Amino acid sequence: MLFHPSFNSIKKNIKERIRETPRVVLVLGSGLSEVADNVENPVSVQYEDIPDFLRSKVAGHRGYLVYGKLGGKKILIFAGRAHLYEGAAMYEVTLPAQVASGLGAEAVILTSSAGALNPDYRAGDLVLVHDQINLMGTNPLFEAVFVRKKNPFESGRTPFVDMDAMFDTSFEEALRAYTDSVGVALHRGVAAAVPGPIYETPAERRMIRALGADVVSMSTIPEAIAARYLGLRIAALDLVTNEAHRSGQGLSHEHVLKSAAEGAADFAKAVIRLVELFP
């Protein structure tokens, strides 16, 4: 199912705590939670304090909501997400998009630590996602149709969602002007997602690259699909934390978190500029 079984109570709980409507919902990936430290007049809520809410089992995901102002806009930040490889259902993985829609936000910004498949990308580079390749073997709308016994789209919606031009990149020129001014490389790329938690083999990396992907991660795509279905504007920005195209380099979650920490300051500034520009 797309919608969390406890969605109404979760939405009520969050609304009682923040009492305002965010314009944007921001989801922070592995090791990227430093962005949340820049929120003005923050209201923080631990995930564990919201019944039936997200639970992240992996290091690098702080596990709390932050509401306040960032980039001049009212924003709700998910500092941590759920993943398929943790055993989370799609209705849990896509909860940020559901909350964004339920609270009346206009847009979601999705971020992730990603491995570079494009040989021109380097650790610390930023990637503005303009398209995606779903290699997870499932998606939230498939789950919604497959799991429920009766039609989950009775309200007039349909699971047959157009995925063309799903990512908004209208702000790209202005964002690039900013990243150029601070000496940070910004690429326009295609993101692939795999279920994880294992990293891809060299043959698998070659295959995914041959399909047209520039970066690969274990998240973002389910939330993007749900956000598209819910009619939200979507932007996605990835931080390259390892150069997976380099044979023999070796991959580890510790390395990802270390690289994310090294690029955290530049990434946070770029995200704040992105929030200013979008939507």
Side-chain angles (χ1 to χ4, degrees):
M1 65 183 69
L2 175 61
F3 288 101
H4 197 293
S6 301
F7 178 70
N8 289 334
S9 63
I10 288 171
K11 181 175 73 170
K12 181 181 177 183
N13 191 301
I14 295 173
K15 289 184 74 171
E16 288 174 348
R17 294 171 185 270
I18 67 174
R19 299 185 179 279
E20 293 187 78
T21 299
R23 184 171 177 186
V24 181
V25 167
L26 170 64
V27 184
L28 299 175
S30 295
L32 304 179
S33 294
E34 183 175 312
V35 175
D37 298 336
N38 295 274
V39 172
E40 301 171 26
N41 302 315
V43 176
S44 298
V45 184
Q46 296 293 323
Y47 286 177
E48 62 190 24
D49 293 335
I50 303 175
D52 300 321
F53 203 62
L54 299 179
R55 299 289 185 271
S56 185
K57 303 175 185 177
V58 296
H61 292 264
R62 293 187 189 176
Y64 63 84
L65 290 174
V66 183
Y67 175 80
K69 270 200 167 184
L70 187 72
K73 293 187 174 74
K74 294 177 181 178
I75 193 165
L76 180 65
I77 297 177
F78 281 71
R81 54 160 49 101
H83 301 83
L84 286 185
Y85 63 74
E86 298 174 279
M90 276 290 180
Y91 66 75
E92 296 172 296
V93 173
T94 62
L95 191 54
Q98 297 172 54
V99 168
S101 177
L103 295 181
E106 298 177 28
V108 294
I109 297 174
L110 306 171
T111 72
S112 177
S113 294
L117 300 173
N118 189 315
D120 295 329
Y121 293 8
R122 293 291 178 266
D125 290 357
L126 304 182
V127 182
L128 180 63
V129 178
H130 73 92
D131 205 349
Q132 67 181 32
I133 300 173
N134 183 10
L135 299 174
M136 289 183 150
T138 186
N139 68 71
L141 299 182
F142 171 84
E143 186 178 282
V145 175
F146 184 77
V147 172
R148 293 188 179 182
K149 292 184 178 179
K150 67 176 188 175
N151 180 12
F153 303 97
E154 292 173 349
S155 61
R157 291 185 181 272
T158 169
F160 305 104
V161 179
D162 182 2
M163 303 296 284
D164 281 2
M166 64 183 298
F167 292 100
D168 191 327
T169 59
S170 59
F171 51 84
E172 180 178 0
E173 185 176 344
L175 182 61
R176 190 176 302 281
Y178 170 77
T179 56
D180 286 348
S181 73
V182 295
V184 176
L186 176 67
H187 306 282
R188 176 185 175 91
V190 175
V194 294
I198 58 171
Y199 293 107
E200 306 75 36
T201 67
E204 289 167 344
R205 294 197 294 270
R206 291 193 298 271
M207 176 193 72
I208 299 170
R209 175 60 180 156
L211 291 174
D214 297 291
V215 290
V216 60
S217 72
M218 302 171 191
S219 63
T220 301
I221 283 181
E223 298 106 303
I225 294 171
R228 178 71 163 191
Y229 167 75
L230 293 167
L232 297 163
R233 292 177 65 181
I234 310 162
L237 187 69
D238 286 354
L239 172 66
V240 175
T241 50
N242 57 71
E243 299 164 32
H245 55 82
R246 291 189 174 184
S247 61
Q249 183 184 23
L251 299 170
S252 71
H253 190 57
E254 290 74 17
H255 176 73
V256 168
L257 295 181
K258 181 176 182 292
S259 295
E262 291 171 351
D266 288 335
F267 182 77
K269 292 174 184 176
V271 169
I272 293 170
R273 182 60 178 145
L274 172 52
V275 172
E276 292 172 351
L277 297 169
F278 176 79

